[in-house]
Amino acid sequence: MGVRFQLNCALPRHLALAGPTASGKTAAALAIAQAWPVEIISVDSALVYRGMDIGTAKPTPVELATVPHHLINIRDPLQAYSAAEFVADASKLMTEITARGKLPLLVGGTMLYFKALRDGLDDMPRADPTIRADIESQAARVGWPAMHTELAKVDPITATRLAPADSQRISRALEVYRISGQPLSSFQTRQADASNSPAHDPNSLLISLEPQDRAWLHQRIAQRFDAMLAQGFLVEVKALRARGDLHPDLPSMRCVGYRQAWEALDGLWPLSELRDKGIFATRQLAKRQITWLRSMPERRVVHCDAPDALAQVLKSVADFLNALSSEEKLKRFDPSVHGGEIAAPQP
């Protein structure tokens, strides 16, 4: 297909496909890739890690070979990967993909990454080992759910997004507040000027896969977790543990599923409870993802449990690109664009 997508605003023209876990993002992305010249940029904080394939529902080698994918398998599980790094990497990739005459397609469920790319991230305070140690000491006495309650008093926006046992993120949010006196959410909610906001950006389309019936998504989550267990998820986690340099406080090992499996293998609770705990944690993740999505007014919702969901996704993309094509044709005859002279029709 001889289509080239031009750079017209702060970010290159692009598509974005978001949704909670198990909503069908991979299938929808591959369908888009079959119809238009795209390259996929993963917007997933777990897919960056090598050796974490089953528990992250990483696209298969066949799927990865179908269309170019980016930001998958770029970090060892021992390494962290921040929202700021994602913004830098994704922005560079979007420019490169556009230069190749392709359309960037951002796909994933890490909503902080989407928001950071859209709104930007202000500089946050650097880590303070002393304050962090004080928080850890307090948590050891009262427990992380109590720390979550404390966070809710000073930063309810961040607390709403975090599970009461998410020690790493609760600790960081409290640390930022104690250093700066400002909630973490205040550093993550810088709004772009209204004229440049994605809600008014004709060069981007955000499709959000959201269920009408939450029970449908819960069933999909359970089926996916059962499939992961059948595919050898526990063997994968045991192999990660056997390295000897990983521990449960790393961001990689705190990913949903991995954390529960690690705790079970540590004997914190019976292994027979892994399925139920893993499914429950994944449901909680999906709930937080949907909450994030509902804060994005520019999104175009497609009900992922509708029989024609995939057709709706493809139609949304087609309408978006057709509208852009029409606008570009009009600009060729716009005197304001051509210095008062009407340009000749282009072939």
Side-chain angles (χ1 to χ4, degrees):
M1 301 173 69
V3 181
R4 291 191 67 85
F5 299 97
Q6 302 298 322
L7 175 62
N8 264 342
C9 58
L11 287 174
R13 182 174 300 166
H14 64 280
L15 301 170
L17 182 63
T21 184
S23 60
K25 296 184 295 294
T26 298
L30 293 176
I32 292 171
Q34 288 181 344
W36 292 280
V38 304
E39 294 188 25
I40 294 173
I41 299 174
S42 172
V43 189
D44 191 303
S45 60
L47 296 190
V48 300
Y49 295 115
R50 295 185 290 270
M52 296 173 59
D53 303 328
I54 298 173
T56 61
K58 193 172 290 179
T60 66
V62 171
E63 291 169 336
L64 291 172
T66 300
V67 57
H69 285 70
H70 304 278
L71 302 188
I72 295 178
N73 295 328
I74 62 169
R75 288 288 188 277
D76 183 85
L78 194 59
Q79 301 171 307
Y81 188 69
S82 69
E85 288 174 301
F86 168 79
V87 170
D89 291 344
S91 299
K92 180 174 182 288
L93 284 165
M94 292 169 74
T95 299
E96 293 171 350
I97 292 168
T98 301
R100 290 193 285 269
K102 303 290 185 67
L103 183 64
L105 171 58
L106 291 93
V107 182
T110 301
M111 304 310 165
L112 175 60
Y113 286 7
F114 277 117
K115 186 171 180 61
L117 187 64
R118 181 189 67 177
D119 296 340
L121 286 171
D122 292 331
D123 291 333
M124 286 186 283
R126 292 181 178 274
D128 186 314
T130 301
I131 291 178
R132 181 166 295 184
D134 288 343
I135 292 170
E136 297 287 338
S137 176
Q138 182 182 353
R141 296 192 307 272
V142 303
W144 285 108
M147 302 299 286
H148 182 268
T149 299
E150 177 180 330
L151 177 63
K153 296 176 182 177
V154 297
D155 188 356
I157 294 175
T158 299
T160 299
R161 297 200 310 264
L162 302 182
D166 192 342
S167 59
Q168 181 190 25
R169 292 181 176 86
I170 293 171
S171 175
R172 176 55 178 161
L174 287 171
E175 179 187 19
V176 168
Y177 180 77
R178 293 183 184 183
I179 293 172
S180 68
Q182 299 294 322
L184 175 66
S185 56
S186 71
F187 293 94
Q188 298 175 337
T189 56
R190 186 180 68 189
Q191 297 299 315
D193 181 82
S195 61
N196 295 322
S197 70
H200 302 281
D201 182 3
N203 275 341
S204 66
L205 171 67
L206 170 60
I207 299 174
S208 178
L209 296 175
E210 301 174 28
Q212 296 181 88
D213 181 5
R214 197 70 63 90
W216 177 90
L217 186 64
H218 290 174
Q219 182 179 17
R220 295 256 303 183
I221 288 171
Q223 291 172 343
R224 171 179 282 187
F225 201 83
D226 285 340
M228 289 176 179
L229 291 173
Q231 292 164 13
F233 175 50
L234 267 178
V235 174
E236 181 175 83
V237 177
K238 288 178 180 177
L240 292 166
R241 287 166 60 91
R243 287 179 35 159
D245 59 346
L246 303 178
H247 56 82
D249 290 328
L250 288 169
S252 59
M253 294 300 102
R254 299 195 67 78
C255 291
V256 168
Y258 289 90
R259 176 186 171 192
Q260 288 72 32
W262 194 290
E263 290 176 347
L265 292 170
D266 271 349
L268 298 184
W269 34 267
L271 197 57
S272 60
E273 297 180 15
L274 172 58
R275 179 184 183 274
D276 289 343
K277 288 185 178 293
I279 290 173
F280 177 78
T282 309
R283 286 184 179 184
Q284 294 299 107
L285 169 63
K287 181 179 179 181
R288 295 194 297 273
Q289 290 170 316
I290 292 171
T291 299
W292 269 94
L293 285 166
R294 289 175 176 169
S295 72
M296 299 178 178
E298 74 276 15
R299 77 196 194 284
R300 182 174 301 179
V301 176
V302 170
H303 295 302
C304 51
D305 49 349
D308 63 341
L310 191 55
Q312 289 186 48
V313 168
L314 295 176
K315 183 178 186 304
S316 294
V317 175
D319 290 346
F320 168 71
L321 296 178
N322 287 337
L324 288 174
S325 178
S326 297
E327 289 176 6
E328 288 178 351
K329 289 176 183 177
L330 288 172
K331 285 179 181 178
R332 293 171 183 166
F333 298 92
D334 184 348
S336 68
V337 174
H338 301 285
E341 298 180 1
I342 297 177
Q346 300 296 315

